[in-house]
Amino acid sequence: MSRIQYRLLGIVLAGVVVSLVLFFGTGSEPDQEPIPALVSEQQGNQESGRGSRETFGAWVSSWGRSADASAVERAVRTVYAAYNERNLDAFLAGWTDNGFARVFQFPKARAVNRLFAGSQPVTVGEFSNTVVTEKGAATEVELTYGQVEELHRLSLVKEGPHWLIDNDEKRDPTVSDLSRRGGVEIMDVALGGSGIRFDSSKAATGTLAFRVANTDSRPHEFVVMKWLPDSEMEQAIGHIGPLQPGASAIMTLTDLTPGRYVILCNMLDDTDGLPYSAKGMRTEFTIQ
């Protein structure tokens, strides 16, 4: 190789080194503020070296958080899969001792003959607001018991490699929650001395959210029953209460099919011992 060729090769190599330094940076930027984890295409073009490095690092970090959130949600699904399979040991293993006792009002040792009595399968729906920290995790999940869909806020702690449920609080969905879910008709219901008031014309197949308020001076309950024409009987499919005077609650019923439904309050009147349903707190609606 001639001297001229060596010089040309040196110039080319020097250009490559400079290009690499400009693209990747020097690796030490102590006086510069960090840029946002996710950068736009324009920002990426303006700061291609540093932006590429930091965007990749942010992506890795975000992936780690998503993996933790997925592990939390997977643990919840595993717990309720064990419940539906009547696998007592696996279900109990998904709870802390204190959390189980707090939610079910009895310790794990007494769960053998009590946990699954009269229970219905639980369908685990969508998760939201899953947050994972060094101290634990929290998530909100839709749980459907029979036809009653509920929103539960769960707290979890990590013991070894496993996430365990430490608390379970049911909360009423907001109008925003129901709107975001979609396909839900909201029914406003008033329980009072004059009976049960609501607009039955809004009842439709699919999913109904009953927003129930007790406007009376006495406690009342809200029971929805489905008329079974073959047996000429009524079957309870949802229940709220007792609701104290001035209190309110929301109950969401799913998979409502055409037919006749009954709403009533069966609590007993303290004055004469008769159920309120016999005093006018009973009404019906029909889904076509």
Side-chain angles (χ1 to χ4, degrees), residues 21-87:
V21 170
L22 290 176
F23 183 82
F24 289 105
T26 61
S28 60
E29 299 169 343
D31 298 327
Q32 295 187 24
E33 293 292 329
I35 65 172
L38 298 179
V39 297
S40 66
E41 182 178 356
Q42 181 179 4
Q43 289 171 318
N45 292 334
Q46 291 173 347
E47 304 183 74
S48 59
R50 187 178 64 183
S52 299
R53 266 196 338 278
E54 296 191 358
T55 302
F56 177 77
W59 178 84
V60 172
S61 177
S62 174
W63 179 87
R65 288 193 298 272
S66 298
D68 287 339
S70 296
V72 168
E73 296 168 4
R74 187 164 55 250
V76 173
R77 292 189 183 278
T78 299
V79 168
Y80 283 101
Y83 182 87
N84 292 336
E85 295 168 359
R86 300 297 192 264
N87 187 334

Short mmCIF file of all heavy atoms in Angstrom, two decimals, residues 21-87:
data_model
loop_
_atom_site.label_atom_id
_atom_site.label_comp_id
_atom_site.label_asym_id
_atom_site.label_seq_id
_atom_site.Cartn_x
_atom_site.Cartn_y
_atom_site.Cartn_z
N VAL A 21 -18.60 9.55 17.71
CA VAL A 21 -18.63 10.41 18.90
C VAL A 21 -19.84 11.32 18.84
O VAL A 21 -20.54 11.54 19.84
CB VAL A 21 -17.32 11.22 19.02
CG1 VAL A 21 -17.45 12.29 20.09
CG2 VAL A 21 -16.16 10.29 19.32
N LEU A 22 -20.11 11.90 17.67
CA LEU A 22 -21.26 12.80 17.55
C LEU A 22 -22.57 12.06 17.75
O LEU A 22 -23.53 12.60 18.31
CB LEU A 22 -21.25 13.47 16.16
CG LEU A 22 -20.13 14.51 15.93
CD1 LEU A 22 -20.18 15.00 14.48
CD2 LEU A 22 -20.27 15.68 16.89
N PHE A 23 -22.64 10.81 17.30
CA PHE A 23 -23.89 10.06 17.41
C PHE A 23 -24.15 9.58 18.83
O PHE A 23 -25.21 9.76 19.40
CB PHE A 23 -23.88 8.87 16.45
CG PHE A 23 -25.17 8.09 16.46
CD1 PHE A 23 -26.25 8.54 15.72
CD2 PHE A 23 -25.29 6.94 17.21
CE1 PHE A 23 -27.44 7.84 15.74
CE2 PHE A 23 -26.48 6.25 17.24
CZ PHE A 23 -27.55 6.69 16.48
N PHE A 24 -23.13 8.98 19.45
CA PHE A 24 -23.31 8.38 20.77
C PHE A 24 -22.96 9.33 21.92
O PHE A 24 -23.30 9.08 23.06
CB PHE A 24 -22.47 7.11 20.92
CG PHE A 24 -23.00 5.98 20.09
CD1 PHE A 24 -22.37 5.60 18.92
CD2 PHE A 24 -24.14 5.30 20.49
CE1 PHE A 24 -22.87 4.57 18.15
CE2 PHE A 24 -24.64 4.26 19.73
CZ PHE A 24 -24.01 3.89 18.56
N GLY A 25 -22.27 10.41 21.64
CA GLY A 25 -21.85 11.30 22.71
C GLY A 25 -20.61 10.78 23.40
O GLY A 25 -20.11 9.69 23.12
N THR A 26 -20.15 11.56 24.35
CA THR A 26 -18.92 11.17 25.05
C THR A 26 -19.18 10.27 26.22
O THR A 26 -18.27 9.65 26.76
CB THR A 26 -18.19 12.43 25.55
OG1 THR A 26 -19.06 13.11 26.47
CG2 THR A 26 -17.85 13.35 24.39
N GLY A 27 -20.46 10.20 26.69
CA GLY A 27 -20.78 9.32 27.83
C GLY A 27 -20.75 10.05 29.14
O GLY A 27 -21.16 9.52 30.15
N SER A 28 -20.28 11.28 29.22
CA SER A 28 -20.26 12.03 30.48
C SER A 28 -20.84 13.40 30.23
O SER A 28 -20.29 14.19 29.50
CB SER A 28 -18.82 12.14 31.03
OG SER A 28 -18.00 12.80 30.11
N GLU A 29 -22.02 13.68 30.81
CA GLU A 29 -22.69 14.96 30.64
C GLU A 29 -23.17 15.44 32.00
O GLU A 29 -24.36 15.54 32.26
CB GLU A 29 -23.86 14.80 29.68
CG GLU A 29 -23.43 14.35 28.30
CD GLU A 29 -24.62 13.93 27.46
OE1 GLU A 29 -25.69 13.69 28.02
OE2 GLU A 29 -24.47 13.89 26.25
N PRO A 30 -22.26 15.74 32.95
CA PRO A 30 -22.67 16.04 34.31
C PRO A 30 -23.44 17.33 34.44
O PRO A 30 -24.21 17.50 35.38
CB PRO A 30 -21.34 16.09 35.07
CG PRO A 30 -20.32 16.46 34.02
CD PRO A 30 -20.80 15.80 32.78
N ASP A 31 -23.26 18.28 33.52
CA ASP A 31 -23.87 19.59 33.70
C ASP A 31 -25.14 19.74 32.90
O ASP A 31 -25.76 20.81 32.90
CB ASP A 31 -22.87 20.69 33.28
CG ASP A 31 -21.62 20.67 34.15
OD1 ASP A 31 -21.76 20.34 35.34
OD2 ASP A 31 -20.55 20.98 33.64
N GLN A 32 -25.60 18.72 32.19
CA GLN A 32 -26.78 18.85 31.35
C GLN A 32 -27.99 18.25 32.04
O GLN A 32 -27.90 17.25 32.72
CB GLN A 32 -26.55 18.14 30.01
CG GLN A 32 -25.44 18.78 29.18
CD GLN A 32 -25.38 18.15 27.81
OE1 GLN A 32 -26.36 17.61 27.34
NE2 GLN A 32 -24.22 18.24 27.18
N GLU A 33 -29.16 18.91 31.84
CA GLU A 33 -30.39 18.41 32.39
C GLU A 33 -30.87 17.23 31.56
O GLU A 33 -30.74 17.22 30.34
CB GLU A 33 -31.46 19.51 32.36
CG GLU A 33 -31.16 20.68 33.29
CD GLU A 33 -31.25 20.26 34.74
OE1 GLU A 33 -32.05 19.36 35.04
OE2 GLU A 33 -30.52 20.82 35.56
N PRO A 34 -31.46 16.20 32.20
CA PRO A 34 -31.96 15.06 31.42
C PRO A 34 -33.16 15.47 30.58
O PRO A 34 -33.99 16.27 31.01
CB PRO A 34 -32.37 14.05 32.50
CG PRO A 34 -32.63 14.88 33.71
CD PRO A 34 -31.67 16.03 33.64
N ILE A 35 -33.26 14.95 29.40
CA ILE A 35 -34.39 15.24 28.55
C ILE A 35 -35.51 14.27 28.89
O ILE A 35 -35.30 13.27 29.58
CB ILE A 35 -34.01 15.11 27.06
CG1 ILE A 35 -33.65 13.63 26.74
CG2 ILE A 35 -32.89 16.02 26.69
CD1 ILE A 35 -33.46 13.39 25.27
N PRO A 36 -36.77 14.56 28.47
CA PRO A 36 -37.87 13.65 28.78
C PRO A 36 -37.58 12.24 28.27
O PRO A 36 -36.90 12.04 27.27
CB PRO A 36 -39.06 14.28 28.02
CG PRO A 36 -38.70 15.73 27.90
CD PRO A 36 -37.19 15.75 27.77
N ALA A 37 -38.19 11.26 28.98
CA ALA A 37 -37.91 9.87 28.64
C ALA A 37 -38.35 9.54 27.22
O ALA A 37 -37.70 8.78 26.52
CB ALA A 37 -38.62 8.94 29.63
N LEU A 38 -39.46 10.11 26.79
CA LEU A 38 -39.94 9.86 25.45
C LEU A 38 -39.79 11.14 24.65
O LEU A 38 -40.30 12.19 25.03
CB LEU A 38 -41.41 9.42 25.46
CG LEU A 38 -41.68 8.11 26.20
CD1 LEU A 38 -43.17 7.79 26.17
CD2 LEU A 38 -40.89 6.98 25.57
N VAL A 39 -39.10 11.12 23.55
CA VAL A 39 -38.85 12.32 22.76
C VAL A 39 -39.59 12.21 21.44
O VAL A 39 -39.83 11.11 20.92
CB VAL A 39 -37.34 12.53 22.49
CG1 VAL A 39 -36.61 12.75 23.78
CG2 VAL A 39 -36.75 11.36 21.72
N SER A 40 -39.97 13.37 20.89
CA SER A 40 -40.63 13.38 19.59
C SER A 40 -39.61 13.14 18.50
O SER A 40 -38.40 13.17 18.73
CB SER A 40 -41.31 14.74 19.38
OG SER A 40 -40.33 15.75 19.27
N GLU A 41 -40.11 12.92 17.29
CA GLU A 41 -39.20 12.69 16.16
C GLU A 41 -38.33 13.92 15.92
O GLU A 41 -37.15 13.80 15.64
CB GLU A 41 -40.01 12.36 14.91
CG GLU A 41 -39.15 12.07 13.69
CD GLU A 41 -39.99 11.71 12.49
OE1 GLU A 41 -41.22 11.63 12.64
OE2 GLU A 41 -39.42 11.53 11.41
N GLN A 42 -38.94 15.11 16.10
CA GLN A 42 -38.16 16.33 15.88
C GLN A 42 -37.06 16.46 16.92
O GLN A 42 -35.91 16.78 16.61
CB GLN A 42 -39.08 17.55 15.94
CG GLN A 42 -38.36 18.87 15.70
CD GLN A 42 -39.33 20.04 15.75
OE1 GLN A 42 -40.50 19.85 16.04
NE2 GLN A 42 -38.83 21.22 15.47
N GLN A 43 -37.40 16.18 18.19
CA GLN A 43 -36.37 16.24 19.22
C GLN A 43 -35.30 15.21 18.98
O GLN A 43 -34.12 15.44 19.22
CB GLN A 43 -37.02 16.00 20.60
CG GLN A 43 -37.89 17.16 21.06
CD GLN A 43 -38.65 16.77 22.31
OE1 GLN A 43 -39.16 15.66 22.43
NE2 GLN A 43 -38.72 17.68 23.25
N GLY A 44 -35.73 14.03 18.49
CA GLY A 44 -34.75 12.98 18.23
C GLY A 44 -33.78 13.40 17.15
O GLY A 44 -32.59 13.08 17.21
N ASN A 45 -34.28 14.13 16.13
CA ASN A 45 -33.38 14.59 15.08
C ASN A 45 -32.43 15.67 15.59
O ASN A 45 -31.28 15.75 15.18
CB ASN A 45 -34.20 15.14 13.91
CG ASN A 45 -34.95 14.03 13.18
OD1 ASN A 45 -34.51 12.89 13.23
ND2 ASN A 45 -36.07 14.36 12.56
N GLN A 46 -32.92 16.52 16.51
CA GLN A 46 -32.09 17.60 17.02
C GLN A 46 -31.00 17.08 17.96
O GLN A 46 -29.91 17.63 18.03
CB GLN A 46 -32.97 18.61 17.77
CG GLN A 46 -33.88 19.40 16.83
CD GLN A 46 -34.86 20.26 17.61
OE1 GLN A 46 -35.01 20.10 18.81
NE2 GLN A 46 -35.49 21.20 16.92
N GLU A 47 -31.32 16.03 18.74
CA GLU A 47 -30.36 15.51 19.71
C GLU A 47 -30.23 14.01 19.51
O GLU A 47 -30.51 13.22 20.39
CB GLU A 47 -30.82 15.82 21.13
CG GLU A 47 -31.08 17.30 21.39
CD GLU A 47 -31.47 17.53 22.83
OE1 GLU A 47 -30.56 17.45 23.69
OE2 GLU A 47 -32.63 17.77 23.10
N SER A 48 -29.82 13.63 18.33
CA SER A 48 -29.85 12.22 17.96
C SER A 48 -28.99 11.37 18.86
O SER A 48 -29.37 10.26 19.22
CB SER A 48 -29.42 12.06 16.50
OG SER A 48 -28.10 12.57 16.32
N GLY A 49 -27.83 11.84 19.27
CA GLY A 49 -26.95 11.01 20.09
C GLY A 49 -27.51 10.76 21.46
O GLY A 49 -27.81 9.65 21.85
N ARG A 50 -27.71 11.86 22.23
CA ARG A 50 -28.19 11.71 23.59
C ARG A 50 -29.62 11.19 23.62
O ARG A 50 -29.98 10.35 24.44
CB ARG A 50 -28.11 13.06 24.31
CG ARG A 50 -28.43 12.96 25.80
CD ARG A 50 -28.31 14.30 26.50
NE ARG A 50 -29.31 15.24 25.96
CZ ARG A 50 -29.40 16.50 26.35
NH1 ARG A 50 -28.52 16.99 27.22
NH2 ARG A 50 -30.32 17.29 25.85
N GLY A 51 -30.46 11.69 22.70
CA GLY A 51 -31.86 11.26 22.68
C GLY A 51 -31.97 9.77 22.44
O GLY A 51 -32.77 9.09 23.06
N SER A 52 -31.19 9.24 21.53
CA SER A 52 -31.26 7.81 21.24
C SER A 52 -30.90 6.99 22.46
O SER A 52 -31.55 6.00 22.78
CB SER A 52 -30.33 7.47 20.07
OG SER A 52 -30.72 8.17 18.91
N ARG A 53 -29.81 7.41 23.15
CA ARG A 53 -29.38 6.66 24.33
C ARG A 53 -30.43 6.71 25.43
O ARG A 53 -30.80 5.70 26.01
CB ARG A 53 -28.07 7.24 24.87
CG ARG A 53 -26.83 6.58 24.37
CD ARG A 53 -25.59 6.91 25.19
NE ARG A 53 -25.67 8.13 25.95
CZ ARG A 53 -25.44 9.35 25.47
NH1 ARG A 53 -25.19 9.50 24.19
NH2 ARG A 53 -25.48 10.41 26.24
N GLU A 54 -30.94 7.93 25.73
CA GLU A 54 -31.83 8.07 26.86
C GLU A 54 -33.21 7.50 26.56
O GLU A 54 -33.88 6.99 27.44
CB GLU A 54 -31.92 9.54 27.27
CG GLU A 54 -30.58 10.06 27.77
CD GLU A 54 -30.72 11.42 28.43
OE1 GLU A 54 -31.84 11.95 28.46
OE2 GLU A 54 -29.70 11.93 28.91
N THR A 55 -33.67 7.61 25.30
CA THR A 55 -34.95 7.01 24.94
C THR A 55 -34.89 5.50 25.10
O THR A 55 -35.83 4.88 25.59
CB THR A 55 -35.32 7.37 23.49
OG1 THR A 55 -35.38 8.79 23.37
CG2 THR A 55 -36.68 6.77 23.13
N PHE A 56 -33.77 4.91 24.70
CA PHE A 56 -33.62 3.46 24.87
C PHE A 56 -33.64 3.10 26.35
O PHE A 56 -34.30 2.14 26.77
CB PHE A 56 -32.31 3.00 24.24
CG PHE A 56 -32.04 1.52 24.44
CD1 PHE A 56 -32.70 0.58 23.68
CD2 PHE A 56 -31.13 1.09 25.40
CE1 PHE A 56 -32.47 -0.77 23.87
CE2 PHE A 56 -30.90 -0.25 25.58
CZ PHE A 56 -31.57 -1.18 24.82
N GLY A 57 -32.94 3.90 27.19
CA GLY A 57 -32.93 3.62 28.62
C GLY A 57 -34.32 3.76 29.22
O GLY A 57 -34.74 2.97 30.07
N ALA A 58 -35.08 4.79 28.77
CA ALA A 58 -36.43 4.97 29.28
C ALA A 58 -37.33 3.81 28.85
O ALA A 58 -38.19 3.37 29.61
CB ALA A 58 -37.01 6.30 28.76
N TRP A 59 -37.13 3.33 27.63
CA TRP A 59 -37.93 2.21 27.16
C TRP A 59 -37.69 0.98 28.02
O TRP A 59 -38.61 0.27 28.40
CB TRP A 59 -37.60 1.93 25.71
CG TRP A 59 -38.36 0.74 25.17
CD1 TRP A 59 -39.61 0.74 24.66
CD2 TRP A 59 -37.89 -0.61 25.11
NE1 TRP A 59 -39.97 -0.54 24.27
CE2 TRP A 59 -38.94 -1.38 24.53
CE3 TRP A 59 -36.69 -1.24 25.46
CZ2 TRP A 59 -38.82 -2.74 24.32
CZ3 TRP A 59 -36.59 -2.61 25.25
CH2 TRP A 59 -37.63 -3.35 24.69
N VAL A 60 -36.42 0.72 28.35
CA VAL A 60 -36.08 -0.42 29.20
C VAL A 60 -36.72 -0.27 30.57
O VAL A 60 -37.32 -1.20 31.12
CB VAL A 60 -34.55 -0.57 29.33
CG1 VAL A 60 -34.20 -1.63 30.37
CG2 VAL A 60 -33.93 -0.92 27.99
N SER A 61 -36.65 0.95 31.16
CA SER A 61 -37.25 1.19 32.46
C SER A 61 -38.75 1.02 32.42
O SER A 61 -39.37 0.43 33.29
CB SER A 61 -36.89 2.61 32.94
OG SER A 61 -37.51 2.90 34.17
N SER A 62 -39.40 1.57 31.36
CA SER A 62 -40.85 1.44 31.22
C SER A 62 -41.24 -0.02 31.07
O SER A 62 -42.24 -0.46 31.62
CB SER A 62 -41.32 2.25 30.01
OG SER A 62 -42.68 2.04 29.76
N TRP A 63 -40.44 -0.77 30.32
CA TRP A 63 -40.73 -2.19 30.16
C TRP A 63 -40.68 -2.90 31.51
O TRP A 63 -41.51 -3.75 31.81
CB TRP A 63 -39.73 -2.81 29.20
CG TRP A 63 -39.97 -4.29 29.01
CD1 TRP A 63 -40.81 -4.87 28.13
CD2 TRP A 63 -39.38 -5.35 29.75
NE1 TRP A 63 -40.78 -6.24 28.25
CE2 TRP A 63 -39.91 -6.56 29.25
CE3 TRP A 63 -38.44 -5.41 30.79
CZ2 TRP A 63 -39.53 -7.80 29.75
CZ3 TRP A 63 -38.07 -6.65 31.28
CH2 TRP A 63 -38.62 -7.82 30.76
N GLY A 64 -39.73 -2.52 32.37
CA GLY A 64 -39.63 -3.14 33.68
C GLY A 64 -40.86 -2.86 34.52
O GLY A 64 -41.41 -3.74 35.18
N ARG A 65 -41.36 -1.61 34.49
CA ARG A 65 -42.56 -1.27 35.25
C ARG A 65 -43.75 -2.03 34.71
O ARG A 65 -44.59 -2.52 35.46
CB ARG A 65 -42.80 0.23 35.19
CG ARG A 65 -41.81 1.05 36.01
CD ARG A 65 -42.29 2.47 36.18
NE ARG A 65 -42.41 3.16 34.90
CZ ARG A 65 -41.42 3.83 34.32
NH1 ARG A 65 -40.23 3.87 34.90
NH2 ARG A 65 -41.59 4.45 33.17
N SER A 66 -43.88 -2.14 33.39
CA SER A 66 -44.99 -2.87 32.80
C SER A 66 -44.94 -4.34 33.17
O SER A 66 -45.97 -4.96 33.41
CB SER A 66 -44.96 -2.71 31.28
OG SER A 66 -45.11 -1.36 30.90
N ALA A 67 -43.75 -4.88 33.24
CA ALA A 67 -43.60 -6.28 33.63
C ALA A 67 -44.07 -6.48 35.07
O ALA A 67 -44.74 -7.46 35.38
CB ALA A 67 -42.14 -6.72 33.47
N ASP A 68 -43.75 -5.54 35.97
CA ASP A 68 -44.20 -5.63 37.35
C ASP A 68 -45.72 -5.55 37.42
O ASP A 68 -46.37 -6.30 38.15
CB ASP A 68 -43.58 -4.50 38.19
CG ASP A 68 -42.10 -4.73 38.46
OD1 ASP A 68 -41.66 -5.90 38.36
OD2 ASP A 68 -41.39 -3.76 38.74
N ALA A 69 -46.31 -4.61 36.67
CA ALA A 69 -47.76 -4.47 36.67
C ALA A 69 -48.42 -5.72 36.13
O ALA A 69 -49.44 -6.19 36.66
CB ALA A 69 -48.17 -3.25 35.84
N SER A 70 -47.86 -6.31 35.09
CA SER A 70 -48.40 -7.54 34.53
C SER A 70 -48.33 -8.68 35.54
O SER A 70 -49.25 -9.51 35.63
CB SER A 70 -47.64 -7.93 33.26
OG SER A 70 -47.82 -6.96 32.25
N ALA A 71 -47.26 -8.73 36.31
CA ALA A 71 -47.12 -9.77 37.33
C ALA A 71 -48.18 -9.63 38.41
O ALA A 71 -48.75 -10.62 38.90
CB ALA A 71 -45.72 -9.72 37.94
N VAL A 72 -48.48 -8.38 38.80
CA VAL A 72 -49.52 -8.13 39.79
C VAL A 72 -50.88 -8.58 39.27
O VAL A 72 -51.63 -9.29 39.96
CB VAL A 72 -49.56 -6.63 40.15
CG1 VAL A 72 -50.81 -6.29 40.96
CG2 VAL A 72 -48.32 -6.24 40.94
N GLU A 73 -51.22 -8.19 38.06
CA GLU A 73 -52.51 -8.55 37.49
C GLU A 73 -52.62 -10.06 37.27
O GLU A 73 -53.68 -10.66 37.47
CB GLU A 73 -52.73 -7.78 36.20
CG GLU A 73 -52.81 -6.27 36.44
CD GLU A 73 -52.74 -5.44 35.17
OE1 GLU A 73 -52.70 -6.05 34.07
OE2 GLU A 73 -52.72 -4.21 35.27
N ARG A 74 -51.51 -10.67 36.88
CA ARG A 74 -51.50 -12.13 36.68
C ARG A 74 -51.73 -12.84 38.02
O ARG A 74 -52.42 -13.87 38.07
CB ARG A 74 -50.17 -12.55 36.05
CG ARG A 74 -50.13 -14.03 35.65
CD ARG A 74 -48.97 -14.30 34.70
NE ARG A 74 -47.70 -13.88 35.26
CZ ARG A 74 -47.00 -12.84 34.82
NH1 ARG A 74 -47.44 -12.11 33.82
NH2 ARG A 74 -45.83 -12.52 35.38
N ALA A 75 -51.17 -12.31 39.11
CA ALA A 75 -51.36 -12.91 40.43
C ALA A 75 -52.83 -12.86 40.84
O ALA A 75 -53.36 -13.83 41.41
CB ALA A 75 -50.50 -12.18 41.46
N VAL A 76 -53.50 -11.75 40.54
CA VAL A 76 -54.93 -11.63 40.88
C VAL A 76 -55.75 -12.64 40.08
O VAL A 76 -56.62 -13.32 40.63
CB VAL A 76 -55.41 -10.20 40.61
CG1 VAL A 76 -56.93 -10.10 40.81
CG2 VAL A 76 -54.70 -9.20 41.52
N ARG A 77 -55.46 -12.76 38.80
CA ARG A 77 -56.19 -13.73 37.99
C ARG A 77 -55.97 -15.15 38.50
O ARG A 77 -56.90 -15.98 38.51
CB ARG A 77 -55.76 -13.63 36.53
CG ARG A 77 -56.19 -12.32 35.85
CD ARG A 77 -55.92 -12.37 34.35
NE ARG A 77 -56.26 -11.11 33.71
CZ ARG A 77 -57.49 -10.77 33.34
NH1 ARG A 77 -58.49 -11.62 33.57
NH2 ARG A 77 -57.73 -9.61 32.77
N THR A 78 -54.75 -15.46 38.95
CA THR A 78 -54.45 -16.79 39.46
C THR A 78 -55.25 -17.09 40.72
O THR A 78 -55.76 -18.20 40.91
CB THR A 78 -52.94 -16.91 39.75
OG1 THR A 78 -52.21 -16.71 38.53
CG2 THR A 78 -52.60 -18.27 40.32
N VAL A 79 -55.38 -16.08 41.60
CA VAL A 79 -56.13 -16.26 42.84
C VAL A 79 -57.59 -16.60 42.54
O VAL A 79 -58.17 -17.54 43.12
CB VAL A 79 -56.04 -14.99 43.71
CG1 VAL A 79 -57.05 -15.04 44.85
CG2 VAL A 79 -54.64 -14.84 44.28
N TYR A 80 -58.20 -15.87 41.62
CA TYR A 80 -59.62 -16.11 41.35
C TYR A 80 -59.84 -17.33 40.47
O TYR A 80 -60.93 -17.93 40.50
CB TYR A 80 -60.26 -14.86 40.77
CG TYR A 80 -60.51 -13.84 41.87
CD1 TYR A 80 -59.65 -12.76 42.04
CD2 TYR A 80 -61.55 -14.00 42.76
CE1 TYR A 80 -59.84 -11.85 43.08
CE2 TYR A 80 -61.76 -13.10 43.79
CZ TYR A 80 -60.90 -12.03 43.94
OH TYR A 80 -61.09 -11.15 44.97
N ALA A 81 -58.85 -17.73 39.71
CA ALA A 81 -58.95 -19.01 39.00
C ALA A 81 -59.00 -20.15 40.01
O ALA A 81 -59.78 -21.10 39.86
CB ALA A 81 -57.77 -19.18 38.05
N ALA A 82 -58.20 -20.05 41.07
CA ALA A 82 -58.23 -21.06 42.13
C ALA A 82 -59.58 -21.05 42.84
O ALA A 82 -60.11 -22.11 43.21
CB ALA A 82 -57.10 -20.79 43.13
N TYR A 83 -60.16 -19.86 43.03
CA TYR A 83 -61.48 -19.76 43.65
C TYR A 83 -62.53 -20.49 42.81
O TYR A 83 -63.33 -21.26 43.34
CB TYR A 83 -61.85 -18.29 43.82
CG TYR A 83 -63.17 -18.05 44.51
CD1 TYR A 83 -63.24 -17.98 45.89
CD2 TYR A 83 -64.34 -17.90 43.78
CE1 TYR A 83 -64.45 -17.76 46.53
CE2 TYR A 83 -65.56 -17.68 44.40
CZ TYR A 83 -65.60 -17.61 45.78
OH TYR A 83 -66.81 -17.40 46.41
N ASN A 84 -62.52 -20.26 41.52
CA ASN A 84 -63.51 -20.89 40.64
C ASN A 84 -63.31 -22.40 40.56
O ASN A 84 -64.28 -23.15 40.35
CB ASN A 84 -63.42 -20.29 39.24
CG ASN A 84 -63.89 -18.85 39.20
OD1 ASN A 84 -64.67 -18.41 40.05
ND2 ASN A 84 -63.42 -18.09 38.23
N GLU A 85 -62.08 -22.85 40.75
CA GLU A 85 -61.79 -24.29 40.73
C GLU A 85 -62.00 -24.93 42.09
O GLU A 85 -61.77 -26.13 42.25
CB GLU A 85 -60.34 -24.51 40.27
CG GLU A 85 -60.08 -24.08 38.83
CD GLU A 85 -58.60 -24.03 38.51
OE1 GLU A 85 -57.78 -24.31 39.43
OE2 GLU A 85 -58.25 -23.70 37.37
N ARG A 86 -62.41 -24.13 43.06
CA ARG A 86 -62.59 -24.60 44.45
C ARG A 86 -61.29 -25.19 45.01
O ARG A 86 -61.31 -26.14 45.79
CB ARG A 86 -63.73 -25.62 44.54
CG ARG A 86 -65.08 -25.09 44.09
CD ARG A 86 -65.53 -23.95 44.99
NE ARG A 86 -66.92 -23.59 44.78
CZ ARG A 86 -67.33 -22.60 43.99
NH1 ARG A 86 -66.42 -21.89 43.30
NH2 ARG A 86 -68.60 -22.31 43.88
N ASN A 87 -60.18 -24.61 44.59
CA ASN A 87 -58.88 -25.05 45.07
C ASN A 87 -58.53 -24.19 46.29
O ASN A 87 -57.96 -23.10 46.17
CB ASN A 87 -57.82 -24.88 43.97
CG ASN A 87 -56.48 -25.47 44.36
OD1 ASN A 87 -56.14 -25.58 45.54
ND2 ASN A 87 -55.69 -25.86 43.37
#
